[in-house]
Amino acid sequence: MARDFCGAALSEKFIFTVQDDIRLDLFLRSHLMYAIRNCPEISNSKIRRLIAAGCVSVNSRVIARPAFVLRPGSKVTVLFDRQKFFYERQPDDITFVLTEKNVLFEDDNLIFVDKPAFFPVEQTITANRANLHDAVVDFLWARDKSLRNPPYAGMMHRLDRETSGVIVFTKNRAINKDLHAVFESHRLRKEYVALCVPENPQVRIPPAGTFFTVEKFMGRISGKSQAGKWGERSERDGGQYSRTDFLAGNVQKIGLSECVEIRCILHTGRTHQIRVHLSGEGLPILGDTLYGGKKSDRLYLHSQRLAFDCAGKSYDVTSPLPWL
């Protein structure tokens, strides 16, 4: 459980050596501040949650007590996921229970789920926060009364909390290696649909059928913000290459907003990639106020299609647009 919570594959790993007798929570609060780049002030409550989640070990043994006293020479290891640590429960988090109608496709290895907007994919540092991973586990467990323990559900990718649409979970560990290789090598097709409103009158709405590509190096640009913001960063400054192909569709009206529907085909999977790329073109997504979009009832970005070959089988799963 601790490994899932800390997101080991996505975490930074810090190792500290203790010099004096000191409580674990006090030690971490002072040392993490210096270890994490652009780190805002860390509260005692967040440190306690990090420890309780099983993300901290002392001399290779997980310690879950904040008051544990460290001795000189001890090695403290921390698995740290910045996005989870600084992300609190949002007031518009929804209540969601996974049912058969939300399952887009399922076989013995994989389950494709239609994720609602305003629902996080996985647990964060906020205790007991409802999330899609737990909902999948609960769904599989409730369906099989013979299981004495919760069934396995593995995550290979994530969607932003505000984004809706198709996402896949593995149902057994045997398939993880094959599916991980698919995502790592980008041997898949991920298509999203966004509704965009030009940020100012000087930006022309692209006519239907217009195809364009955005390529740039991206990285986090808001180290002190809890709501992490990404943008263009040079490769020298740690930016990672990103590419998205876009195809403009028809103009439609959402409320009082004239929006252009844009199909987005991902070639890489950077955090907030589509949102950053469209904003940079002067076409922020409706509802994406973090990147200059008009305020609305939701972020109008939807993961519509996920297609790939894995373990000798072809998958091509789509999710209907929720705003039609």
Side-chain angles (χ1 to χ4, degrees), residues 50-153:
L50 183 71
I51 296 170
C55 298
V56 181
S57 60
V58 179
N59 298 328
S60 301
R61 181 166 65 96
V62 173
I63 300 295
R65 287 196 300 115
F68 181 84
V69 177
L70 301 170
R71 302 302 183 195
S74 295
K75 298 290 184 183
V76 177
T77 303
V78 181
L79 286 178
F80 182 85
D81 187 316
R82 177 189 291 266
Q83 188 169 3
K84 292 181 183 180
F85 189 82
F86 292 115
Y87 197 72
E88 297 289 355
R89 186 185 189 281
Q90 300 297 302
D92 55 358
D93 275 358
I94 65 168
T95 299
F96 174 73
V97 176
L98 183 64
T99 64
E100 292 285 354
K101 72 176 184 179
N102 308 112
V103 177
L104 298 169
F105 180 81
E106 183 181 5
D107 62 12
D108 291 339
N109 292 319
L110 305 177
I111 179 170
F112 293 78
V113 174
D114 201 7
K115 174 192 172 302
F118 302 116
F119 198 63
V121 169
E122 59 185 326
Q123 185 60 268
T124 67
I125 198 70
T126 303
N128 301 318
R129 187 183 188 193
N131 62 90
L132 189 62
H133 177 259
D134 287 352
V136 171
V137 172
D138 291 343
F139 169 78
L140 295 174
W141 199 7
R143 197 175 58 182
D144 190 344
K145 303 297 184 182
S146 67
L147 294 176
R148 298 183 61 185
N149 297 306
Y152 175 78

Side-chain angles (χ1 to χ4, degrees), residues 2-13 79-81 84 122 155-158 180 184:
R3 184 168 58 254
D4 288 341
F5 181 89
C6 300
L10 301 170
S11 295
E12 300 171 74
K13 185 176 183 179
L79 286 178
F80 182 85
D81 187 316
K84 292 181 183 180
E122 59 185 326
M155 289 185 294
M156 294 292 120
H157 67 132
R158 296 189 287 193
H180 177 73
E184 281 291 297

Side-chain angles (χ1 to χ4, degrees), residues 305-318:
R305 182 185 179 198
L306 185 58
F308 53 82
D309 294 333
C310 182
K313 186 172 181 178
S314 294
Y315 297 88
D316 194 339
V317 179
T318 59

Side-chain angles (χ1 to χ4, degrees), residues 214-218 231-233 240-243 276-277 280-281:
V214 178
E215 296 178 280
K216 62 178 62 178
F217 286 89
M218 287 179 52
E232 189 165 5
R233 291 184 70 96
Q240 295 179 300
Y241 174 76
S242 63
R243 175 186 166 185
V276 171
H277 284 187
E281 296 297 300

Side-chain angles (χ1 to χ4, degrees), residues 193-199 203-208 247-263 278 282-288 293-301 323-324:
V193 174
L195 294 184
C196 302
V197 180
E199 62 183 351
V203 177
R204 184 175 65 93
I205 292 180
L247 179 64
N250 295 322
V251 174
Q252 54 183 281
K253 196 166 187 177
I254 300 292
L256 299 177
S257 299
E258 293 284 340
C259 311
V260 57
E261 181 178 285
I262 297 182
R263 183 164 299 277
L278 286 172
L283 294 167
I285 300 170
L286 180 64
D288 193 6
K294 290 182 63 175
K295 189 174 182 179
S296 190
D297 59 330
R298 63 158 292 172
L299 174 72
Y300 279 82
L301 178 64
W323 50 76
L324 291 183

Side-chain angles (χ1 to χ4, degrees), residues 160-228:
D160 293 342
R161 184 189 73 98
E162 301 91 341
T163 303
S164 57
V166 58
I167 184 172
V168 63
F169 295 83
T170 60
K171 293 170 58 180
N172 60 70
R173 291 179 173 83
I175 197 69
N176 282 355
K177 182 178 179 181
D178 289 336
L179 189 55
H180 177 73
V182 169
F183 276 87
E184 281 291 297
S185 61
H186 306 294
R187 290 185 285 108
L188 73 166
R189 188 173 182 91
K190 290 193 286 185
E191 294 185 13
Y192 290 68
V193 174
L195 294 184
C196 302
V197 180
E199 62 183 351
N200 62 62
Q202 284 70 46
V203 177
R204 184 175 65 93
I205 292 180
T210 301
F211 178 88
F212 59 100
T213 296
V214 178
E215 296 178 280
K216 62 178 62 178
F217 286 89
M218 287 179 52
R220 186 178 179 119
I221 60 174
S222 62
K224 294 186 178 181
S225 171
Q226 289 188 339

